[in-house]
């Protein structure tokens, strides 16, 4: 009698992949919220990912989303003093913290929550990371 182990393994892997994809598809569609409200994130189409970088725009608000242990976008360009909202769409807590001089630190951002910080006023490239997950990195350029 043939073994059913490979078929069961394939079924288990397929289930886990579908579960992971479904769990990572949440996105924050509430552009007016910049606080740590407890409202759950709503789903967005997979094709609505943020641009790779944003152009400088005075003191306009800019967004960074945390999804699947990645900052999206991970490279962003803003004007000095721009307000930046960071939304955590992962299932675990993250931070967004300047690496070199600790120019900013969002503190812990719980799943489904947001935090806002102000970009430095001095032009330059500022590397940042999640202090909980140091492999998560990005660059904020102020022009």
């Amino acid at each position: 009698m043939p073994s059913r182990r490979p078929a069961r393994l394939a079924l288990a892997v397929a289930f886990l992949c579908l579960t992971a994809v479904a769990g990572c598809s949440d996105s924050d569609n509430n552009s007016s919220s910049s606080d740590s409200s407890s409202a759950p994130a709503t789903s967005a189409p997979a094709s609505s990912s943020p641009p790779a970088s944003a152009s400088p725009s005075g003191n306009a608000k800019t967004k960074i989303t945390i999804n699947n242990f990645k900052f999206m976008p991970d490279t962003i360009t803003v004007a000095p003093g721009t307000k930046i909202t960071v939304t955590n769409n992962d299932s675990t807590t993250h931070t967004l913290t300047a690496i070199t001089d600790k120019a900013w630190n969002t503190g812990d951002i719980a799943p489904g929550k947001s935090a806002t910080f102000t970009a430095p006023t001095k032009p330059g490239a500022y590397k940042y990371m999640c202090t909980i997950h140091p492999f998560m990195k990005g660059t904020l350029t102020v022009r």
Side-chain angles (χ1 to χ4, degrees):
M1 180 152 94
S3 171
R4 292 188 179 166
R5 180 171 278 169
R8 287 183 182 169
L9 180 60
L11 183 60
V13 169
F15 175 76
L16 289 174
C17 288
L18 288 174
T19 303
V21 169
C24 293
S25 66
D26 288 341
S27 173
D28 184 5
N29 288 331
N30 185 358
S31 61
S32 65
S33 174
S34 62
D35 64 350
S36 295
S37 67
S38 60
T42 56
S43 294
S47 63
S48 67
S49 59
S53 68
S55 58
S57 58
N59 282 336
K61 286 189 177 182
T62 304
K63 294 184 177 188
I64 297 174
T65 302
I66 302 171
N67 234 0
N68 201 24
F69 290 84
K70 294 179 186 169
F71 294 111
M72 296 172 26
D74 63 354
T75 301
I76 188 168
T77 301
V78 299
T82 299
K83 301 278 187 212
I84 302 169
T85 300
V86 183
T87 302
N88 181 0
N89 288 337
D90 263 347
S91 60
T92 190
T93 301
H94 293 289
T95 72
L96 193 145
T97 307
I99 293 175
T100 319
D101 58 1
K102 305 293 187 245
W104 71 88
N105 180 0
T106 62
D108 291 352
I109 307 172
K113 307 288 182 163
S114 296
T116 301
F117 71 95
T118 303
T121 56
K122 180 180 176 187
Y126 297 85
K127 297 211 178 272
Y128 60 84
M129 65 184 267
C130 173
T131 58
I132 301 168
H133 309 99
F135 60 89
M136 295 174 57
K137 295 182 179 180
T139 303
L140 170 69
T141 301
V142 177
R143 289 191 200 168

